[in-house]
PDB file of all heavy atoms in Angstrom:
ATOM      1  N   ILE A 270      82.720 -19.826  10.877  1.00  0.00           N
ATOM      2  CA  ILE A 270      82.054 -18.517  10.850  1.00  0.00           C
ATOM      3  C   ILE A 270      82.998 -17.417  11.296  1.00  0.00           C
ATOM      4  O   ILE A 270      83.013 -16.311  10.743  1.00  0.00           O
ATOM      5  CB  ILE A 270      80.789 -18.544  11.725  1.00  0.00           C
ATOM      6  CG1 ILE A 270      79.714 -19.433  11.087  1.00  0.00           C
ATOM      7  CG2 ILE A 270      80.237 -17.128  11.940  1.00  0.00           C
ATOM      8  CD1 ILE A 270      78.492 -19.640  11.966  1.00  0.00           C
ATOM      9  N   SER A 271      83.846 -17.699  12.275  1.00  0.00           N
ATOM     10  CA  SER A 271      84.751 -16.672  12.801  1.00  0.00           C
ATOM     11  C   SER A 271      85.812 -16.245  11.795  1.00  0.00           C
ATOM     12  O   SER A 271      86.476 -15.223  11.988  1.00  0.00           O
ATOM     13  CB  SER A 271      85.417 -17.169  14.091  1.00  0.00           C
ATOM     14  OG  SER A 271      86.359 -18.192  13.828  1.00  0.00           O
ATOM     15  N   LEU A 272      85.981 -16.996  10.705  1.00  0.00           N
ATOM     16  CA  LEU A 272      86.934 -16.600   9.674  1.00  0.00           C
ATOM     17  C   LEU A 272      86.525 -15.298   8.992  1.00  0.00           C
ATOM     18  O   LEU A 272      87.344 -14.671   8.320  1.00  0.00           O
ATOM     19  CB  LEU A 272      87.090 -17.712   8.626  1.00  0.00           C
ATOM     20  CG  LEU A 272      87.775 -18.997   9.103  1.00  0.00           C
ATOM     21  CD1 LEU A 272      87.693 -20.067   8.036  1.00  0.00           C
ATOM     22  CD2 LEU A 272      89.236 -18.729   9.481  1.00  0.00           C
ATOM     23  N   ASN A 273      85.261 -14.891   9.157  1.00  0.00           N
ATOM     24  CA  ASN A 273      84.869 -13.619   8.543  1.00  0.00           C
ATOM     25  C   ASN A 273      85.603 -12.437   9.176  1.00  0.00           C
ATOM     26  O   ASN A 273      85.619 -11.343   8.618  1.00  0.00           O
ATOM     27  CB  ASN A 273      83.348 -13.424   8.578  1.00  0.00           C
ATOM     28  CG  ASN A 273      82.750 -13.460   9.972  1.00  0.00           C
ATOM     29  OD1 ASN A 273      83.435 -13.216  10.974  1.00  0.00           O
ATOM     30  ND2 ASN A 273      81.465 -13.773  10.051  1.00  0.00           N
ATOM     31  N   GLU A 274      86.252 -12.681  10.309  1.00  0.00           N
ATOM     32  CA  GLU A 274      87.018 -11.623  10.965  1.00  0.00           C
ATOM     33  C   GLU A 274      88.350 -11.344  10.262  1.00  0.00           C
ATOM     34  O   GLU A 274      88.954 -10.298  10.470  1.00  0.00           O
ATOM     35  CB  GLU A 274      87.278 -11.995  12.423  1.00  0.00           C
ATOM     36  CG  GLU A 274      85.997 -12.180  13.245  1.00  0.00           C
ATOM     37  CD  GLU A 274      86.281 -12.732  14.624  1.00  0.00           C
ATOM     38  OE1 GLU A 274      87.472 -12.971  14.933  1.00  0.00           O
ATOM     39  OE2 GLU A 274      85.327 -12.935  15.402  1.00  0.00           O
ATOM     40  N   ILE A 275      88.815 -12.289   9.445  1.00  0.00           N
ATOM     41  CA  ILE A 275      90.117 -12.122   8.781  1.00  0.00           C
ATOM     42  C   ILE A 275      89.970 -12.080   7.256  1.00  0.00           C
ATOM     43  O   ILE A 275      90.904 -12.401   6.525  1.00  0.00           O
ATOM     44  CB  ILE A 275      91.108 -13.231   9.186  1.00  0.00           C
ATOM     45  CG1 ILE A 275      90.533 -14.615   8.878  1.00  0.00           C
ATOM     46  CG2 ILE A 275      91.474 -13.115  10.668  1.00  0.00           C
ATOM     47  CD1 ILE A 275      91.570 -15.731   9.022  1.00  0.00           C
ATOM     48  N   SER A 276      88.789 -11.696   6.783  1.00  0.00           N
ATOM     49  CA  SER A 276      88.563 -11.598   5.343  1.00  0.00           C
ATOM     50  C   SER A 276      87.641 -10.433   5.043  1.00  0.00           C
ATOM     51  O   SER A 276      86.840 -10.022   5.882  1.00  0.00           O
ATOM     52  CB  SER A 276      87.943 -12.903   4.813  1.00  0.00           C
ATOM     53  OG  SER A 276      86.726 -13.181   5.499  1.00  0.00           O
ATOM     54  N   ASP A 277      87.762  -9.915   3.826  1.00  0.00           N
ATOM     55  CA  ASP A 277      86.907  -8.799   3.418  1.00  0.00           C
ATOM     56  C   ASP A 277      85.547  -9.273   2.921  1.00  0.00           C
ATOM     57  O   ASP A 277      84.527  -8.651   3.198  1.00  0.00           O
ATOM     58  CB  ASP A 277      87.604  -7.991   2.320  1.00  0.00           C
ATOM     59  CG  ASP A 277      88.829  -7.245   2.839  1.00  0.00           C
ATOM     60  OD1 ASP A 277      89.014  -7.175   4.074  1.00  0.00           O
ATOM     61  OD2 ASP A 277      89.607  -6.746   1.997  1.00  0.00           O
ATOM     62  N   PHE A 278      85.549 -10.399   2.158  1.00  0.00           N
ATOM     63  CA  PHE A 278      84.315 -10.900   1.575  1.00  0.00           C
ATOM     64  C   PHE A 278      84.277 -12.419   1.672  1.00  0.00           C
ATOM     65  O   PHE A 278      85.313 -13.073   1.658  1.00  0.00           O
ATOM     66  CB  PHE A 278      84.191 -10.471   0.104  1.00  0.00           C
ATOM     67  CG  PHE A 278      84.211  -8.976  -0.085  1.00  0.00           C
ATOM     68  CD1 PHE A 278      85.364  -8.341  -0.522  1.00  0.00           C
ATOM     69  CD2 PHE A 278      83.089  -8.220   0.195  1.00  0.00           C
ATOM     70  CE1 PHE A 278      85.401  -6.963  -0.688  1.00  0.00           C
ATOM     71  CE2 PHE A 278      83.109  -6.831   0.034  1.00  0.00           C
ATOM     72  CZ  PHE A 278      84.265  -6.207  -0.408  1.00  0.00           C
ATOM     73  N   ARG A 279      83.040 -12.962   1.743  1.00  0.00           N
ATOM     74  CA  ARG A 279      82.851 -14.405   1.849  1.00  0.00           C
ATOM     75  C   ARG A 279      81.795 -14.867   0.849  1.00  0.00           C
ATOM     76  O   ARG A 279      80.798 -14.180   0.624  1.00  0.00           O
ATOM     77  CB  ARG A 279      82.384 -14.805   3.259  1.00  0.00           C
ATOM     78  CG  ARG A 279      83.470 -14.910   4.298  1.00  0.00           C
ATOM     79  CD  ARG A 279      83.969 -13.589   4.798  1.00  0.00           C
ATOM     80  NE  ARG A 279      82.909 -12.754   5.348  1.00  0.00           N
ATOM     81  CZ  ARG A 279      83.088 -11.486   5.697  1.00  0.00           C
ATOM     82  NH1 ARG A 279      84.270 -10.892   5.532  1.00  0.00           N
ATOM     83  NH2 ARG A 279      82.091 -10.767   6.187  1.00  0.00           N
ATOM     84  N   PHE A 280      82.024 -16.044   0.277  1.00  0.00           N
ATOM     85  CA  PHE A 280      81.095 -16.604  -0.705  1.00  0.00           C
ATOM     86  C   PHE A 280      80.809 -18.065  -0.369  1.00  0.00           C
ATOM     87  O   PHE A 280      81.727 -18.821  -0.042  1.00  0.00           O
ATOM     88  CB  PHE A 280      81.670 -16.499  -2.122  1.00  0.00           C
ATOM     89  CG  PHE A 280      81.809 -15.083  -2.603  1.00  0.00           C
ATOM     90  CD1 PHE A 280      82.961 -14.357  -2.337  1.00  0.00           C
ATOM     91  CD2 PHE A 280      80.772 -14.467  -3.289  1.00  0.00           C
ATOM     92  CE1 PHE A 280      83.090 -13.044  -2.759  1.00  0.00           C
ATOM     93  CE2 PHE A 280      80.890 -13.145  -3.710  1.00  0.00           C
ATOM     94  CZ  PHE A 280      82.049 -12.432  -3.448  1.00  0.00           C
ATOM     95  N   CYS A 281      79.542 -18.442  -0.449  1.00  0.00           N
ATOM     96  CA  CYS A 281      79.107 -19.813  -0.189  1.00  0.00           C
ATOM     97  C   CYS A 281      78.657 -20.460  -1.496  1.00  0.00           C
ATOM     98  O   CYS A 281      77.787 -19.924  -2.189  1.00  0.00           O
ATOM     99  CB  CYS A 281      77.948 -19.828   0.805  1.00  0.00           C
ATOM    100  SG  CYS A 281      78.418 -19.432   2.502  1.00  0.00           S
ATOM    101  N   LEU A 282      79.238 -21.599  -1.826  1.00  0.00           N
ATOM    102  CA  LEU A 282      78.858 -22.352  -3.017  1.00  0.00           C
ATOM    103  C   LEU A 282      78.160 -23.631  -2.596  1.00  0.00           C
ATOM    104  O   LEU A 282      78.718 -24.420  -1.823  1.00  0.00           O
ATOM    105  CB  LEU A 282      80.088 -22.709  -3.861  1.00  0.00           C
ATOM    106  CG  LEU A 282      80.608 -21.666  -4.853  1.00  0.00           C
ATOM    107  CD1 LEU A 282      80.991 -20.373  -4.144  1.00  0.00           C
ATOM    108  CD2 LEU A 282      81.784 -22.225  -5.641  1.00  0.00           C
ATOM    109  N   SER A 283      76.952 -23.823  -3.083  1.00  0.00           N
ATOM    110  CA  SER A 283      76.214 -25.047  -2.784  1.00  0.00           C
ATOM    111  C   SER A 283      75.056 -25.178  -3.747  1.00  0.00           C
ATOM    112  O   SER A 283      74.398 -24.186  -4.063  1.00  0.00           O
ATOM    113  CB  SER A 283      75.702 -25.039  -1.343  1.00  0.00           C
ATOM    114  OG  SER A 283      74.914 -26.184  -1.089  1.00  0.00           O
ATOM    115  N   ALA A 284      74.795 -26.402  -4.198  1.00  0.00           N
ATOM    116  CA  ALA A 284      73.640 -26.640  -5.058  1.00  0.00           C
ATOM    117  C   ALA A 284      72.359 -26.761  -4.246  1.00  0.00           C
ATOM    118  O   ALA A 284      71.264 -26.660  -4.797  1.00  0.00           O
ATOM    119  CB  ALA A 284      73.848 -27.906  -5.890  1.00  0.00           C
ATOM    120  N   THR A 285      72.499 -26.960  -2.934  1.00  0.00           N
ATOM    121  CA  THR A 285      71.298 -27.218  -2.115  1.00  0.00           C
ATOM    122  C   THR A 285      71.248 -26.397  -0.831  1.00  0.00           C
ATOM    123  O   THR A 285      70.895 -26.917   0.221  1.00  0.00           O
ATOM    124  CB  THR A 285      71.230 -28.712  -1.742  1.00  0.00           C
ATOM    125  OG1 THR A 285      72.432 -29.069  -1.029  1.00  0.00           O
ATOM    126  CG2 THR A 285      71.068 -29.584  -2.961  1.00  0.00           C
ATOM    127  N   PRO A 286      71.577 -25.116  -0.853  1.00  0.00           N
ATOM    128  CA  PRO A 286      71.572 -24.373   0.409  1.00  0.00           C
ATOM    129  C   PRO A 286      70.173 -24.102   0.937  1.00  0.00           C
ATOM    130  O   PRO A 286      69.977 -23.911   2.127  1.00  0.00           O
ATOM    131  CB  PRO A 286      72.270 -23.062   0.055  1.00  0.00           C
ATOM    132  CG  PRO A 286      71.940 -22.860  -1.378  1.00  0.00           C
ATOM    133  CD  PRO A 286      71.954 -24.245  -1.976  1.00  0.00           C
ATOM    134  N   PHE A 287      69.191 -24.071   0.046  1.00  0.00           N
ATOM    135  CA  PHE A 287      67.846 -23.678   0.450  1.00  0.00           C
ATOM    136  C   PHE A 287      66.933 -24.874   0.720  1.00  0.00           C
ATOM    137  O   PHE A 287      65.756 -24.715   0.945  1.00  0.00           O
ATOM    138  CB  PHE A 287      67.216 -22.778  -0.616  1.00  0.00           C
ATOM    139  CG  PHE A 287      68.061 -21.583  -0.940  1.00  0.00           C
ATOM    140  CD1 PHE A 287      68.366 -21.282  -2.243  1.00  0.00           C
ATOM    141  CD2 PHE A 287      68.578 -20.786   0.066  1.00  0.00           C
ATOM    142  CE1 PHE A 287      69.154 -20.183  -2.544  1.00  0.00           C
ATOM    143  CE2 PHE A 287      69.361 -19.689  -0.225  1.00  0.00           C
ATOM    144  CZ  PHE A 287      69.653 -19.383  -1.536  1.00  0.00           C
ATOM    145  N   ASN A 288      67.499 -26.075   0.675  1.00  0.00           N
ATOM    146  CA  ASN A 288      66.705 -27.259   0.988  1.00  0.00           C
ATOM    147  C   ASN A 288      66.882 -27.669   2.442  1.00  0.00           C
ATOM    148  O   ASN A 288      66.350 -28.685   2.872  1.00  0.00           O
ATOM    149  CB  ASN A 288      67.112 -28.420   0.073  1.00  0.00           C
ATOM    150  CG  ASN A 288      66.752 -28.143  -1.377  1.00  0.00           C
ATOM    151  OD1 ASN A 288      65.837 -27.391  -1.647  1.00  0.00           O
ATOM    152  ND2 ASN A 288      67.479 -28.746  -2.295  1.00  0.00           N
ATOM    153  N   ASN A 289      67.668 -26.901   3.154  1.00  0.00           N
ATOM    154  CA  ASN A 289      67.973 -27.244   4.541  1.00  0.00           C
ATOM    155  C   ASN A 289      67.053 -26.503   5.508  1.00  0.00           C
ATOM    156  O   ASN A 289      66.205 -25.713   5.113  1.00  0.00           O
ATOM    157  CB  ASN A 289      69.437 -26.900   4.846  1.00  0.00           C
ATOM    158  CG  ASN A 289      70.386 -27.611   3.899  1.00  0.00           C
ATOM    159  OD1 ASN A 289      70.192 -28.758   3.561  1.00  0.00           O
ATOM    160  ND2 ASN A 289      71.415 -26.900   3.477  1.00  0.00           N
ATOM    161  N   ARG A 290      67.266 -26.767   6.782  1.00  0.00           N
ATOM    162  CA  ARG A 290      66.508 -26.048   7.806  1.00  0.00           C
ATOM    163  C   ARG A 290      66.889 -24.577   7.813  1.00  0.00           C
ATOM    164  O   ARG A 290      67.970 -24.200   7.409  1.00  0.00           O
ATOM    165  CB  ARG A 290      66.806 -26.664   9.174  1.00  0.00           C
ATOM    166  CG  ARG A 290      66.414 -28.117   9.325  1.00  0.00           C
ATOM    167  CD  ARG A 290      66.935 -28.657  10.636  1.00  0.00           C
ATOM    168  NE  ARG A 290      68.393 -28.536  10.722  1.00  0.00           N
ATOM    169  CZ  ARG A 290      69.097 -28.746  11.837  1.00  0.00           C
ATOM    170  NH1 ARG A 290      68.472 -29.053  12.950  1.00  0.00           N
ATOM    171  NH2 ARG A 290      70.408 -28.633  11.825  1.00  0.00           N
ATOM    172  N   LYS A 291      65.978 -23.762   8.315  1.00  0.00           N
ATOM    173  CA  LYS A 291      66.245 -22.325   8.367  1.00  0.00           C
ATOM    174  C   LYS A 291      67.486 -22.032   9.190  1.00  0.00           C
ATOM    175  O   LYS A 291      68.262 -21.129   8.854  1.00  0.00           O
ATOM    176  CB  LYS A 291      65.037 -21.574   8.930  1.00  0.00           C
ATOM    177  CG  LYS A 291      65.176 -20.067   8.833  1.00  0.00           C
ATOM    178  CD  LYS A 291      63.857 -19.345   9.071  1.00  0.00           C
ATOM    179  CE  LYS A 291      63.449 -19.372  10.523  1.00  0.00           C
ATOM    180  NZ  LYS A 291      62.305 -18.452  10.797  1.00  0.00           N
ATOM    181  N   ASN A 292      67.721 -22.802  10.236  1.00  0.00           N
ATOM    182  CA  ASN A 292      68.906 -22.590  11.067  1.00  0.00           C
ATOM    183  C   ASN A 292      70.192 -22.832  10.291  1.00  0.00           C
ATOM    184  O   ASN A 292      71.208 -22.169  10.535  1.00  0.00           O
ATOM    185  CB  ASN A 292      68.866 -23.477  12.305  1.00  0.00           C
ATOM    186  CG  ASN A 292      67.975 -22.907  13.396  1.00  0.00           C
ATOM    187  OD1 ASN A 292      67.547 -21.769  13.321  1.00  0.00           O
ATOM    188  ND2 ASN A 292      67.697 -23.717  14.406  1.00  0.00           N
ATOM    189  N   ASP A 293      70.159 -23.792   9.365  1.00  0.00           N
ATOM    190  CA  ASP A 293      71.346 -24.044   8.546  1.00  0.00           C
ATOM    191  C   ASP A 293      71.630 -22.868   7.623  1.00  0.00           C
ATOM    192  O   ASP A 293      72.781 -22.481   7.413  1.00  0.00           O
ATOM    193  CB  ASP A 293      71.174 -25.330   7.732  1.00  0.00           C
ATOM    194  CG  ASP A 293      71.127 -26.572   8.605  1.00  0.00           C
ATOM    195  OD1 ASP A 293      71.580 -26.490   9.772  1.00  0.00           O
ATOM    196  OD2 ASP A 293      70.663 -27.616   8.132  1.00  0.00           O
ATOM    197  N   LEU A 294      70.575 -22.299   7.057  1.00  0.00           N
ATOM    198  CA  LEU A 294      70.738 -21.105   6.225  1.00  0.00           C
ATOM    199  C   LEU A 294      71.277 -19.948   7.050  1.00  0.00           C
ATOM    200  O   LEU A 294      72.126 -19.182   6.590  1.00  0.00           O
ATOM    201  CB  LEU A 294      69.401 -20.716   5.601  1.00  0.00           C
ATOM    202  CG  LEU A 294      68.784 -21.708   4.616  1.00  0.00           C
ATOM    203  CD1 LEU A 294      67.443 -21.176   4.122  1.00  0.00           C
ATOM    204  CD2 LEU A 294      69.711 -21.949   3.446  1.00  0.00           C
ATOM    205  N   MET A 295      70.789 -19.832   8.277  1.00  0.00           N
ATOM    206  CA  MET A 295      71.238 -18.768   9.164  1.00  0.00           C
ATOM    207  C   MET A 295      72.741 -18.853   9.385  1.00  0.00           C
ATOM    208  O   MET A 295      73.455 -17.839   9.331  1.00  0.00           O
ATOM    209  CB  MET A 295      70.519 -18.853  10.509  1.00  0.00           C
ATOM    210  CG  MET A 295      70.996 -17.835  11.541  1.00  0.00           C
ATOM    211  SD  MET A 295      70.306 -18.132  13.186  1.00  0.00           S
ATOM    212  CE  MET A 295      71.216 -19.626  13.663  1.00  0.00           C
ATOM    213  N   LEU A 296      73.252 -20.058   9.605  1.00  0.00           N
ATOM    214  CA  LEU A 296      74.680 -20.219   9.878  1.00  0.00           C
ATOM    215  C   LEU A 296      75.518 -19.833   8.670  1.00  0.00           C
ATOM    216  O   LEU A 296      76.576 -19.203   8.811  1.00  0.00           O
ATOM    217  CB  LEU A 296      74.961 -21.654  10.306  1.00  0.00           C
ATOM    218  CG  LEU A 296      74.326 -22.074  11.646  1.00  0.00           C
ATOM    219  CD1 LEU A 296      74.471 -23.568  11.868  1.00  0.00           C
ATOM    220  CD2 LEU A 296      74.940 -21.297  12.802  1.00  0.00           C
ATOM    221  N   GLN A 297      75.066 -20.174   7.479  1.00  0.00           N
ATOM    222  CA  GLN A 297      75.792 -19.768   6.275  1.00  0.00           C
ATOM    223  C   GLN A 297      75.738 -18.254   6.091  1.00  0.00           C
ATOM    224  O   GLN A 297      76.733 -17.628   5.705  1.00  0.00           O
ATOM    225  CB  GLN A 297      75.209 -20.478   5.048  1.00  0.00           C
ATOM    226  CG  GLN A 297      75.425 -21.981   5.071  1.00  0.00           C
ATOM    227  CD  GLN A 297      74.732 -22.681   3.932  1.00  0.00           C
ATOM    228  OE1 GLN A 297      75.161 -22.582   2.787  1.00  0.00           O
ATOM    229  NE2 GLN A 297      73.645 -23.389   4.237  1.00  0.00           N
ATOM    230  N   ALA A 298      74.582 -17.664   6.380  1.00  0.00           N
ATOM    231  CA  ALA A 298      74.451 -16.213   6.271  1.00  0.00           C
ATOM    232  C   ALA A 298      75.320 -15.502   7.304  1.00  0.00           C
ATOM    233  O   ALA A 298      75.872 -14.425   7.037  1.00  0.00           O
ATOM    234  CB  ALA A 298      72.983 -15.808   6.435  1.00  0.00           C
ATOM    235  N   MET A 299      75.464 -16.091   8.473  1.00  0.00           N
ATOM    236  CA  MET A 299      76.339 -15.517   9.495  1.00  0.00           C
ATOM    237  C   MET A 299      77.783 -15.546   9.031  1.00  0.00           C
ATOM    238  O   MET A 299      78.562 -14.622   9.303  1.00  0.00           O
ATOM    239  CB  MET A 299      76.166 -16.272  10.808  1.00  0.00           C
ATOM    240  CG  MET A 299      74.829 -16.014  11.498  1.00  0.00           C
ATOM    241  SD  MET A 299      74.573 -17.039  12.970  1.00  0.00           S
ATOM    242  CE  MET A 299      75.877 -16.400  14.046  1.00  0.00           C
ATOM    243  N   PHE A 300      78.170 -16.601   8.307  1.00  0.00           N
ATOM    244  CA  PHE A 300      79.529 -16.667   7.760  1.00  0.00           C
ATOM    245  C   PHE A 300      79.748 -15.556   6.742  1.00  0.00           C
ATOM    246  O   PHE A 300      80.771 -14.864   6.764  1.00  0.00           O
ATOM    247  CB  PHE A 300      79.769 -18.030   7.116  1.00  0.00           C
ATOM    248  CG  PHE A 300      81.013 -18.076   6.268  1.00  0.00           C
ATOM    249  CD1 PHE A 300      82.267 -18.089   6.854  1.00  0.00           C
ATOM    250  CD2 PHE A 300      80.921 -18.094   4.885  1.00  0.00           C
ATOM    251  CE1 PHE A 300      83.413 -18.109   6.072  1.00  0.00           C
ATOM    252  CE2 PHE A 300      82.056 -18.122   4.097  1.00  0.00           C
ATOM    253  CZ  PHE A 300      83.306 -18.135   4.694  1.00  0.00           C
ATOM    254  N   ILE A 301      78.795 -15.343   5.846  1.00  0.00           N
ATOM    255  CA  ILE A 301      78.936 -14.278   4.851  1.00  0.00           C
ATOM    256  C   ILE A 301      79.027 -12.913   5.530  1.00  0.00           C
ATOM    257  O   ILE A 301      79.862 -12.087   5.174  1.00  0.00           O
ATOM    258  CB  ILE A 301      77.765 -14.328   3.850  1.00  0.00           C
ATOM    259  CG1 ILE A 301      77.858 -15.607   3.007  1.00  0.00           C
ATOM    260  CG2 ILE A 301      77.769 -13.088   2.948  1.00  0.00           C
ATOM    261  CD1 ILE A 301      76.670 -15.848   2.111  1.00  0.00           C
TER     262      ILE A 301
END
């Protein structure tokens, strides 16, 4: 997640991001 400090934009690729717990989605959204 802290890599967002050294990049302009972030993209998450996954076929199943929304089948996980809400907390897992939160962590991916924090990365973006």
Side-chain angles (χ1 to χ4, degrees):
I270 291 173
S271 71
L272 292 172
N273 58 23
E274 299 172 0
I275 57 170
S276 57
D277 292 349
F278 301 102
R279 279 76 57 189
F280 294 88
C281 288
L282 276 59
S283 176
T285 58
F287 305 129
N288 294 334
N289 303 320
R290 298 172 301 170
K291 188 166 73 169
N292 280 349
D293 293 341
L294 296 179
M295 176 189 72
L296 294 171
Q297 294 174 73
M299 289 174 65
F300 167 73
I301 293 173

